[in-house]
Amino acid sequence: MNVTSIATRPFDDQRPGTAGLRKKTRVFTQPGYLENFLQAVFDTVPDLRGGTLVAGGDGRYFNREALATLVGLAAGNGVRRLIIGQGGILSTPAASHLIRSRRADGGFLLTASHNPGGPDGDFGVKFNVASGGQAPESLTEAVYQASSALGRYLIADVSPPDLDRIGEQAAGEMIVEVVDPVGDYAALMERLFDFDRLRDLLTGGFRFRFDALHAVTGPYARDIFVNRLGAPEDSVLNGVPLPDFGGGHPDPNPVDAKHLVALMAAPDAPEFAAASDGDGDRNMILGRSFAVSPGDSLAVLAAQAHRVPGYADGLAGVARSMPTSRAVDAVAARLGIPCFETPTGWRFFCNLLEDGRIDLCGEESYGTSSSHAREKDGLWAVLFWLNLIAVSGRSVEELVRAHWTDFGRNAFRRHDYFVPEAARAAAVMEQLTGRLDSLPGSQGSGGVIDRAESFSYEDPVDGSVSANQGIRVFFDNGDRIVYRLSGTGTSGATLRVYLDRPVRGDDPSLPADGAAVGDLGGQAHELGDITRLTGLKEPTGVI
Ligand code: G1P
Ligand code: ZN
């Protein structure tokens, strides 16, 4: 096998964000850009030499070409075995599971999640470690440092493998093993959930729709819902993955998937609908004319977990990202289990999962998962909800309302401000940071500020500290506002403002959606001096 060392010059923008390196597709297709980043990972993780690597992506534009490049670099850097999902496809949770079940030394996930795909869209690369979880900050920083000083990459002259043929093929001295992307994952779901009860539900006249949004979950949903559980074919919508996701924005939330919300508001609506995102790790759960807020979803799953086979023995603990609504905290307190509060980004849950401290975790950004993987998992959440419906005989809305009555409710909403000029979004954070000491004591419309701070997290497992993870403002009436800057964008900056207001769970006069936060968004806008600093009079997105 002929390995060539190709001279290259470093790119200065290869610092991974909230979830891997995410850039415009055209940035990734520049000569040397992908090669450099991959080489920086190989240089930083020496265990990959002689080791096993998993790779696959969400099927977006450039997926196959990027995998062909990876094959050359993996062989050039001495990888012994490269396991790839057939057709280059692997959902993020399935990739995480495969890394773990095959005891691989790591994996490359080619995805920009819910960001649009195509030549004018986005592309991304995430490196996951041997536990199946996203690389920790110390590692992504080391990769960035390596990328900034890179002078060459190593590429083997091997013929490209046939990614559509299941089985082993040689690529120089490396073995490429093409595997069914669905089978292992579906078998894991069968172990966690009561497939007999689910089959009874889905073949018994219960009407449901799962929308794959032309992204990676199509083949998974077909195999699980139609083949294994007997649901009618038309239960899976937009089930064929397309390189540009059919021109859509594959993000399962009531704004980007409003067609599904409309479907559920129609007179002949099915009883349940759900969707997942580009790479299959997010989920949205809808009942008839009712959308489940992600923070509520996490809380309901935690409270009801004992009714599902995989969690019948109880939960060691739960965790939520800091900006996520505090609904799950009340469940943890009732169950007498710990509830951890981590910075935004799934990687912060991984140490807690790995150390056995938690079994369920979630984020307000439509992400939920458990100790079965080290990534969030869209289809897992859908199966969990269906399992609860099957064993309780209740609808989605009944389950949530009963939960609110029992535990109380945290009304929640997120306001996003997309600011083309990144510095102006940063200015909001700077002025708030400068006022942290003077804020306590000032009157908002609902309450008085009694605490304002910049969130810093000390990982209880490895002691690492992540500072500046968002500003949180607490009011004496229980309201909470959080401000932070997005770490997944590929241009400009997005200021995220998270609103959490505790309300009475059984108050029928309150809206069932995020509008129940009332005037908290207006208060947050004023407190952040957002109009003056960004020029925006209102949020550009409300989720
Ligand atoms: C967003 C979400 C965050 C999630 C991440 C990856 O990151 O807010 O919860 O983990 O996408 O899906 P952000 O753009 O806010 O940095
Ligand atoms: Zn995703």
Side-chain angles (χ1 to χ4, degrees), residues 303-339:
Q304 306 285 334
H306 59 279
R307 308 179 85 162
V308 168
Y311 309 93
D313 295 339
L315 306 173
V318 293
R320 60 166 172 81
S321 68
M322 181 274 282
T324 300
S325 101
R326 293 161 291 176
V328 74
D329 302 30
V331 179
R334 174 92 57 92
L335 295 175
I337 57 174
C339 177

Side-chain angles (χ1 to χ4, degrees), residues 137-148:
E137 228 168 22
S138 52
L139 179 55
T140 55
E141 189 54 28
V143 169
Y144 171 63
Q145 295 303 336
S147 79
S148 311

Side-chain angles (χ1 to χ4, degrees), residues 23-367:
K23 300 283 172 195
K24 290 280 167 222
T25 307
R26 291 193 199 283
V27 172
F28 262 107
T29 53
Q30 295 173 80
Y33 193 88
L34 173 66
E35 289 85 343
N36 273 22
F37 184 68
L38 297 175
Q39 186 63 51
V41 175
F42 286 117
D43 286 345
T44 313
V45 189
D47 282 357
L48 297 178
R49 186 167 286 279
T52 299
L53 193 60
V54 165
D58 60 16
R60 71 179 59 223
Y61 179 85
F62 195 53
N63 193 57
R64 279 187 185 251
E65 293 82 349
L67 281 169
T69 301
L70 172 62
V71 169
L73 266 106
N77 282 279
V79 169
R80 194 178 47 84
R81 178 178 289 265
L82 179 60
I83 303 172
I84 305 185
Q86 188 180 27
I89 292 289
L90 275 178
S91 79
T92 287
S96 177
H97 175 58
L98 202 56
I99 295 170
R100 290 159 62 74
S101 63
R102 295 296 303 269
R103 298 184 195 287
D105 300 284
F108 282 103
L109 284 60
L110 310 184
T111 173
S113 188
H114 51 283
N115 295 17
D120 297 318
D122 293 345
F123 191 78
V125 178
K126 248 174 28 172
F127 178 69
N128 283 27
V129 293
S131 68
Q134 294 175 25
E137 228 168 22
S138 52
L139 179 55
T140 55
E141 189 54 28
V143 169
Y144 171 63
Q145 295 303 336
S147 79
S148 311
L150 202 75
R152 57 90 186 91
Y153 60 83
L154 305 173
I155 191 155
D157 182 15
V158 293
S159 47
D162 177 356
L163 294 186
D164 296 311
R165 183 159 58 83
I166 300 236
E168 294 187 353
Q169 307 163 47
E173 282 150 32
M174 181 175 80
I175 293 169
V176 173
E177 181 185 345
V178 176
V179 298
D180 166 18
V182 180
D184 276 9
Y185 174 82
L188 173 65
M189 294 301 115
E190 283 188 334
R191 293 198 292 278
L192 294 174
F193 299 109
D194 189 337
F195 267 49
D196 292 335
R197 298 293 291 268
L198 283 167
R199 200 171 296 109
D200 290 346
L201 180 76
L202 298 187
T203 56
F206 178 84
R207 290 174 58 225
F208 101 110
R209 294 283 179 275
F210 175 80
D211 193 338
L213 302 173
H214 285 306
V216 79
T217 49
Y220 294 85
R222 243 198 90 75
D223 183 67
I224 293 174
F225 296 126
V226 180
N227 298 349
R228 296 181 192 237
L229 293 171
E233 296 267 344
D234 63 0
S235 308
V236 178
L237 306 175
N238 301 316
V240 178
L242 297 174
D244 66 346
F245 307 123
H249 185 194
D251 202 2
N253 62 64
V255 176
D256 292 298
K258 50 179 173 307
H259 62 282
L260 216 51
V261 176
L263 176 83
M264 295 307 283
D268 59 344
E271 283 146 280
F272 180 95
S276 189
D277 71 328
D279 60 329
D281 59 357
R282 295 186 173 197
N283 75 89
M284 174 176 70
I285 305 293
L286 301 173
R288 275 199 185 128
S289 297
F290 190 90
V292 184
S293 167
D296 285 335
S297 179
L298 176 62
V300 170
L301 300 189
Q304 306 285 334
H306 59 279
R307 308 179 85 162
V308 168
Y311 309 93
D313 295 339
L315 306 173
V318 293
R320 60 166 172 81
S321 68
M322 181 274 282
T324 300
S325 101
R326 293 161 291 176
V328 74
D329 302 30
V331 179
R334 174 92 57 92
L335 295 175
I337 57 174
C339 177
F340 297 87
E341 190 175 33
T342 58
T344 295
W346 203 262
R347 62 177 186 261
F348 293 100
F349 294 133
C350 290
N351 274 353
L352 300 171
L353 289 163
E354 206 56 28
D355 203 45
R357 298 191 189 214
I358 60 168
D359 285 301
L360 282 192
C361 44
E363 295 193 273
E364 51 68 43
S365 50
Y366 292 81

